[in-house]
Amino acid sequence: QVQLVESGGGSVQAGGSLRLSCAAAGYDYNRWYMGWFRQAPGQEREGVAFINSIGSISYADSVKGRFTISQDNAKNTLNLQMNSLKPEDTALYYCAATAGIPLSVWVRLFRKPPARGDFDYWGQGTQVTVSS
């Protein structure tokens, strides 16, 4: 059974930093994507950053240059380093992961960024609050 557990959220001032972590238990696939989504009150859940099993990384334009996604293979942990935080980054942040991806889907995901529906496993979320 795959279980994703986020940690590292909290409250910071604008310009500050936080590091989110996602522990992925029971996660063992070949081709995969993992990533972070966030959802602010009254807003749709949006993709923040993604990484796949060959190291390809993508970011939402709103966080590019400020956030860094990484994955520790040995510990099966996904991380999101968030720097220069802004009030608009305030949201509940979710870790997400796909199951094993067939080659046909893999090719599609190289053409378009993954969406919410592409992910099979989700954490419960960790709150990030950025004050001005």
Side-chain angles (χ1 to χ4, degrees):
Q1 179 181 338
V2 174
Q3 184 173 355
L4 307 180
V5 180
E6 303 99 334
S7 62
S11 298
V12 297
Q13 291 181 295
S17 298
L18 285 172
R19 185 177 179 86
L20 306 184
S21 294
C22 171
Y27 196 69
D28 185 18
Y29 299 103
N30 291 320
R31 296 183 180 93
W32 53 260
Y33 273 78
M34 298 185 72
W36 294 91
F37 289 78
R38 65 186 183 186
Q39 188 166 22
Q43 304 295 317
E44 294 185 352
R45 193 170 300 187
E46 64 173 349
V48 175
F50 305 104
I51 188 169
N52 69 19
S53 50
I54 61 169
S56 297
I57 292 171
S58 62
Y59 298 97
D61 287 342
S62 59
V63 307
K64 195 171 298 182
R66 300 187 297 120
F67 291 11
T68 302
I69 190 171
S70 61
Q71 194 261 340
D72 185 330
N73 289 325
K75 297 183 177 181
N76 236 10
T77 301
L78 183 72
N79 298 301
L80 185 68
Q81 179 66 45
M82 305 186 294
N83 298 327
S84 301
L85 283 162
K86 304 175 180 180
E88 51 262 45
D89 296 317
T90 296
L92 189 64
Y93 282 70
Y94 296 91
C95 175
T98 66
I101 299 173
L103 184 59
S104 60
V105 177
W106 185 258
V107 172
R108 174 174 64 80
L109 292 178
F110 270 113
R111 291 187 270 107
K112 295 178 61 178
R116 183 176 179 178
D118 293 309
F119 292 89
D120 301 281
Y121 309 109
W122 294 85
Q124 295 300 306
T126 185
Q127 179 67 40
V128 171
T129 302
V130 184
S131 60
S132 61

